Amino acid sequence: MDRVTVRAGVRSTARVAARGDGRGGTALPVLESEGSVALRRVRGAGADEARVLLVGAMSGPLGGDHFTVEARAEQGARLHVGAVAATLALPGQAKGEARYDVRLTVADGARLDWLPEQLISAGGSDLRVTTRADLAPDARLVLREEQVLGRVGERPGRLTSRLTLYRAGRPLLDQELACGPGAPGGWDGPAVLAGHRALGQLVVVRPEFATDQPSATVLDADGSAALTPLAGPAVLVTAVAPDALRLRRILDAALGRLA
């Protein structure tokens, strides 16, 4: 009988820390990664910005994998984190759900733009994503999350996503959404996704919003995107769309309006 090797869950960690270099720029004293996630520094949009891209070194996350990404912007830093390609959650030989944890920290006088590509929940996958941001009182944050349920012509896997934001140690936002097989009923109903396959959110935190915060409004003509002020100098944009391209257009338009 042939021996079958079952791939054990992979543990992958990536860390980046940015700080002002005292000359109007941003230095990266920490830029390290191991496993399936690699970090690469690229040219920033301006002299004061450090830009880093997440690069997938392997497929996944697969069942049993645990990915962790930590990004920290210290005082005076401007850090932009993006990605080379979408993240594809796939079923694996190893049993159990996969995990993807994101931890963001932003100090006073610093700005962090967390703008990865879409997360695609392929059929048969089971992924839990947790994103936590800890912000100082005068921190700036732009955070975008986009999820696509299934590839073309396939049913989605199970996807659970939780986003929590804390400002000065106090909760600013805490929400969770579960979609796909095994999720609580109603996730695809008219009150949640209404049959759409792509969903996303954009959070913008700016100290200026303490005195000049945008009002709640519907952003898209068909009512699929809305802006909600939060209890702090921040706003949340939530959107659903039939596909990833339409979702990105909606969120890009909202970001151009807010940032």
Side-chain angles (χ1 to χ4, degrees):
M1 180 181 296
D2 293 335
R3 178 176 295 177
V4 177
T5 301
V6 177
R7 172 186 178 277
V10 172
R11 300 294 183 267
S12 302
T13 303
R15 297 184 181 91
V16 56
R19 68 184 178 201
D21 63 6
R23 303 186 302 275
T26 299
L28 295 178
V30 177
L31 186 67
E32 57 188 30
S33 52
E34 60 182 10
S36 300
V37 181
L39 295 174
R40 298 290 183 267
R41 181 169 188 173
V42 297
R43 185 183 299 274
D48 62 340
E49 179 189 81
R51 181 169 295 211
V52 174
L53 294 179
L54 294 164
V55 181
M58 299 170 58
S59 61
L62 310 181
D65 288 354
H66 188 177
F67 292 2
T68 302
V69 179
E70 300 174 2
R72 186 173 74 252
E74 300 174 1
Q75 189 170 18
R78 182 173 179 180
L79 175 62
H80 182 291
V81 182
V84 171
T87 298
L88 180 60
L90 294 165
Q93 291 179 306
K95 300 299 183 181
E97 70 176 10
R99 292 183 56 187
Y100 198 144
D101 296 330
V102 176
R103 300 291 178 262
L104 310 176
T105 306
V106 191
D108 279 326
R111 171 169 173 163
L112 172 60
D113 289 33
W114 176 259
L115 299 169
E117 293 301 308
Q118 298 92 351
L119 170 63
I120 302 171
S121 175
S125 64
D126 185 358
L127 176 64
R128 174 177 291 273
V129 181
T130 63
T131 302
R132 172 170 173 149
D134 290 282
L135 312 176
D138 291 323
R140 297 173 182 268
L141 174 70
V142 176
L143 181 152
R144 182 186 68 211
E145 289 189 338
E146 299 168 296
Q147 288 120 16
V148 181
L149 304 180
R151 293 168 291 190
V152 176
E154 78 173 356
R155 293 178 58 82
R158 178 169 180 172
L159 175 64
T160 303
S161 177
R162 183 175 182 183
L163 172 62
T164 55
L165 274 70
Y166 290 84
R167 177 176 176 269
R170 302 183 64 179
L172 185 63
L173 176 67
D174 190 343
Q175 65 178 30
E176 180 172 302
L177 178 66
C179 305
W187 64 269
D188 200 26
V192 186
L193 298 186
H196 291 92
R197 293 175 59 88
L199 62 148
Q201 50 201 355
L202 174 72
V203 178
V204 179
V205 182
R206 299 179 61 192
E208 294 86 350
F209 287 164
T211 56
D212 186 21
Q213 189 177 45
S215 301
T217 185
V218 175
L219 297 177
D220 205 45
D222 63 2
S224 59
L227 183 151
T228 304
L230 300 178
V235 296
L236 169 68
V237 175
T238 305
V240 294
D243 55 52
L245 180 60
R246 176 61 181 161
L247 178 66
R248 176 62 61 85
R249 287 174 176 168
I250 294 171
L251 295 180
D252 278 352
L255 181 55
R257 174 176 177 172
L258 295 168

